[in-house]
Structure formats: structure tokens, C-alpha cells
Amino acid sequence: EGTFDWLDAFLREHSQYTEISDRAILRWAELSGISTQKSQERKASNDKPEVSFGVASLDDGSVQKALLKIAPLQRRSYVVMEVRGNLMQEERQAQLQRWPGHAFKRIAAVMMNDPPPEFRRAVHLLLLREKQAAADKEFRARMAEERRKRDVELRMKKVERDRKRMLKKQRKAAEEAKRKIAIEKKKREAAQRGEEYDPDADEDMKPKAEEKSDVEPLELEDQEPPEQEPPAVQLTDEEKAVVFRKQSVPDLTPYALNTSFAKFSLPGAEEGFDSVRFDWANADKCRETLSAWISEKRNTTRVEDIQPGEWFASRWKEWQETLSAWHLAQKQYKNLVFKYTAEKKKQVSAARVKAARAKEAADNRAKLEAEKAQAEGEDAMETEEAAIEAPAEVAPEEEGPKEPGNPDFDKLDVYASSDV
């Protein structure tokens, strides 16, 4: 963390040094007018930025290789910034081969542990600049929005003012036309009476005095408000406690860090350096810090470049064969279940069709029987009605002697009775 922030601060204080890094090449290309074809912040880092200029020699790394070959021929002071490479012994030794000892003094500078106050102040200054830039951007956007609203309001006021002026002009023209018509009418009436009409002597026909304008002037609104300066911002206590600032583009990508941290080590004089400098803490403290950091990283970091051994490969092969057998058995079972289900559905469908046909036949029989019974009932009703309409003649029965005690009171003559 903070590697390129340290480099920027170092280069500001030591302008005689030239940065050798992929970031520097990217910056030189942009300053030369070569623009990138896509954003450098997607899968990029400051250590190995993603280059896409559309120029083959830049995109395939040919320029970087040529620079590393040409730079040692120049007797100048360089800072070789390779964050990942400078922490790995093999790449440090390969880098030393490019810079001969008889032409250059090769110094390894190690910055580890708590940074000095100067570095903290530089980081806080960068944080303050970023915060001020964000605040300025927000302030300008807000002022632009207020200016836009003000322009809209002023434009609406101008439209309303012009509308009122037009209405007033139209009213005045209408009144003048009405006055002229009245004057002509009075002239004709005076001519009929043989008199002469003077409109200037008629108070009613004189033009009305100009009324005070009720249209508001926009002189003050037309003036632009004074330009305001963005307010100054300050760092909070939490921001002041930050040692290494977080950037949108990291110094190392997570993948590069996860695949390399186990090989990180600190440089030593035995590697061929003319001098090894520990600027923030002594060598023992730095080695202890790096060892503790690697141990913690091992426990919390996913291993990206792990390679399985023979034992795992053989067990994996067995597992794949077993899994394939299980899949085959499962497939066969599913096929049997599918066939059984299809047959069952077929039987159920046939039974339903048979039941439907039987129900239809029963319904037809019941319908026929009902129609037949209805027809027979109608015939019986017709026969009964015919019998009621033409009853059979019945011969009257002869009257026999009536039993005593059952007299016919309607025919009884009480005066003709001899025995009561």
C-alpha cells in the first residue's frame, strides 16, 4: 500500500531521478497524444496497468522491453518501480543483471512498518485534494442547477412581461379605434344638424392620459449573480487517521497479490546490491513484519495457483467414475419411472374413456326410457280426458220399497199420512 504515493513524493523532492515503470510508459504515451481505447481502471493496477492504445508495440510490451535495454546505456539516475517484482528475489536478481555495477550504484530502498510524519502529511494532503475536488465538483453542479433554474424563471418572467405589453398595446389600439368611430359618428350627426363638430373641444373624445405601466422591469434580474468560490473542506478525525489512502486503481491487483505474496522477501546485500536502505524501520523489524503479514495472509487468502498432486488426481478419477456410474443408474431409474408413469397414465386415460362411454350409454338409455315413459303418460292422459268428455250411459235403477226409518223428506206429505 502507498508505494506509488511514496514514489510521487520522492520524485517531487528528487527531480534528477527518472521513473522506470509501466505506469511511466503509460503516462509518456498519453502525454505524446496517444489515447487509450478503453478505461484503464477495469482490470488494471498501477504496477501493471492494462494497456490498450491500439499500437502493437505498446500493447504487446515491446516498448517496455526496449526501454529496459536502452535505459542502462544512459548515465542517469533511475527509480525502477516494480512493486511485485521488487518483492521477489528471482525477479530482483534478473533486474540487477540489466544494471551493471561498474556504471550504476544499485540501492535497494525498503519502506515498511509505520511511515514517518512526512509521508503521513503527504497522504493527508492528497486526501484533502481529493475531497476538495469532489466538493468543488458538487458545488459547481449545484450552482449550475441554480443558474439553470434562475434562467428558466427569468425566461418565464420575460414571456409574461411581453404578454402584458402586447395586451396593453391591443387594448390601446382598440380604444383608439373606438374613439375614432365615435368621432366620425358625431361628425355625421353634427353635419345633419348643419353644425360643425370639433373633436378637440369634446372632452369625452380626447385620448386618455397614458396610464402607469403595471409591467415589472427585469433590469435587476438581467444581471448575473456574482461568481461564488467553492467552500474549503477539512479532513475529519477518521480521515486524519488514514495512513495509506485507498485509490480506485490499486497498486497490485488482488490476483497478482494472491499468487505472489508467499514468495515475497526483503532484499539483502548478498543479492548484489551496493546498498540496502531501510527508511521506516530497521531490518529485523521489517523482516518480522513481513513474516507476520505473510502468515496472516496465508490464513485468509484464497490460493489462486494451487496444483493438485498424483494422489488427488487418482482419487478424483475414481470419484468421476463413481459419479458417472451413479448418474447412469439414476438415468436408468428415471427411464423406468418415466415408462411406468406413461403406462399408468395410458391405463388411467383408457379407463376414463371407457367410463365416459359407459356413462354416455347409460345417459342415452335413461333419456330413451324417460322419453318412452313420457309418451306413455301422455297417451294415458289423453284416454282419461276422452273418458271424462264422453261418459258412458247408465240405466236408472228401479226404485224399490224404502226401508222404514229412512223417509224421503222432500216427497213426504205430513197431512196425507195416516200413521205417524
Side-chain angles (χ1 to χ4, degrees), residues 120-407:
R120 289 176 178 267
R121 283 194 294 268
V123 170
H124 292 166
L125 181 60
L126 293 174
L127 291 174
L128 184 60
R129 288 177 180 174
E130 291 179 353
K131 188 174 182 180
Q132 186 66 55
D136 292 351
K137 183 178 179 180
E138 181 181 358
F139 175 80
R140 292 191 181 94
R142 186 171 65 253
M143 294 302 295
E145 179 64 19
E146 292 179 0
R147 191 179 299 107
R148 186 191 66 81
K149 291 181 179 179
R150 178 184 173 280
D151 293 342
V152 171
E153 183 180 359
L154 181 60
R155 191 159 49 248
M156 296 299 294
K157 286 183 178 181
K158 287 182 179 180
V159 171
E160 183 65 18
R161 180 194 61 183
D162 295 341
R163 186 185 69 82
K164 289 182 179 180
R165 286 179 177 177
M166 180 61 68
L167 290 176
K168 183 178 179 181
K169 187 176 180 180
Q170 290 175 356
R171 285 196 303 268
K172 187 175 180 181
E175 291 175 357
E176 182 65 21
K178 185 177 179 182
R179 188 180 73 85
K180 289 181 178 180
I181 293 173
I183 290 174
E184 293 295 330
K185 182 179 179 182
K186 289 190 176 185
K187 284 182 178 181
R188 287 194 301 269
E189 292 175 352
Q192 290 176 0
R193 293 193 303 268
E195 299 175 356
E196 184 177 355
Y197 175 73
D198 185 7
D200 295 335
D202 191 349
E203 294 293 335
D204 294 337
M205 293 297 104
K206 288 184 178 181
K208 293 183 180 181
E210 188 73 19
E211 297 179 358
K212 186 179 180 180
S213 177
D214 57 348
V215 180
E216 299 179 359
L218 298 179
E219 297 177 358
L220 295 179
E221 286 81 350
D222 291 337
Q223 298 178 2
E224 287 288 337
E227 190 71 21
Q228 300 181 16
E229 292 294 330
V233 299
Q234 298 293 334
L235 295 180
T236 62
D237 294 339
E238 183 178 358
E239 291 170 338
K240 290 180 180 179
V242 173
V243 178
F244 303 105
R245 67 188 182 109
K246 300 295 182 182
Q247 303 183 62
S248 58
V249 181
D251 290 346
L252 279 179
T253 60
Y255 181 83
L257 180 63
N258 294 342
T259 55
S260 306
F261 75 90
K263 302 176 184 178
F264 285 175
S265 62
L266 296 180
E270 67 278 1
E271 296 181 12
F273 289 100
D274 298 319
S275 174
V276 179
R277 201 176 68 219
F278 293 88
D279 292 345
W280 291 0
N282 57 49
D284 294 337
K285 181 65 176 176
C286 291
R287 291 190 178 90
E288 180 182 348
T289 301
L290 179 61
S291 178
W293 180 82
I294 292 176
S295 298
E296 181 183 359
K297 199 73 175 172
R298 289 180 187 274
N299 296 330
T300 58
T301 303
R302 168 182 166 179
V303 181
E304 300 283 356
D305 55 348
I306 188 171
Q307 296 294 332
E310 294 183 4
W311 176 86
F312 180 84
S314 61
R315 296 300 299 272
W316 175 254
K317 184 177 180 181
E318 293 177 2
W319 163 249
Q320 291 294 326
E321 293 175 354
T322 303
L323 186 62
S324 299
W326 290 352
H327 285 167
L328 179 61
Q330 185 185 34
K331 186 176 181 180
Q332 292 174 352
Y333 173 76
K334 286 184 177 180
N335 291 335
L336 291 175
V337 171
F338 177 77
K339 291 181 180 179
Y340 173 79
T341 305
E343 186 66 26
K344 194 68 176 177
K345 288 182 179 179
K346 186 176 180 181
Q347 293 177 1
V348 170
S349 178
R352 287 179 180 176
V353 172
K354 185 177 180 181
R357 290 178 179 175
K359 185 177 182 300
E360 184 179 1
D363 292 342
N364 292 335
R365 286 196 301 271
K367 185 176 180 181
L368 291 174
E369 291 176 358
E371 291 177 353
K372 183 178 180 181
Q374 184 178 2
E376 292 177 354
E378 290 177 355
D379 294 341
M381 289 179 65
E382 291 178 357
T383 304
E384 185 178 352
E385 290 176 356
I388 293 173
E389 291 176 356
E393 295 183 358
V394 181
E397 296 181 359
E398 296 183 356
E399 294 184 359
K402 295 184 180 179
E403 296 180 0
N406 295 319

Side-chain angles (χ1 to χ4, degrees), residues 15-27:
S15 58
Q16 71 273 21
Y17 283 86
T18 301
E19 176 185 352
I20 299 293
S21 67
D22 291 348
R23 185 189 74 157
I25 296 175
L26 177 64
R27 185 182 302 168

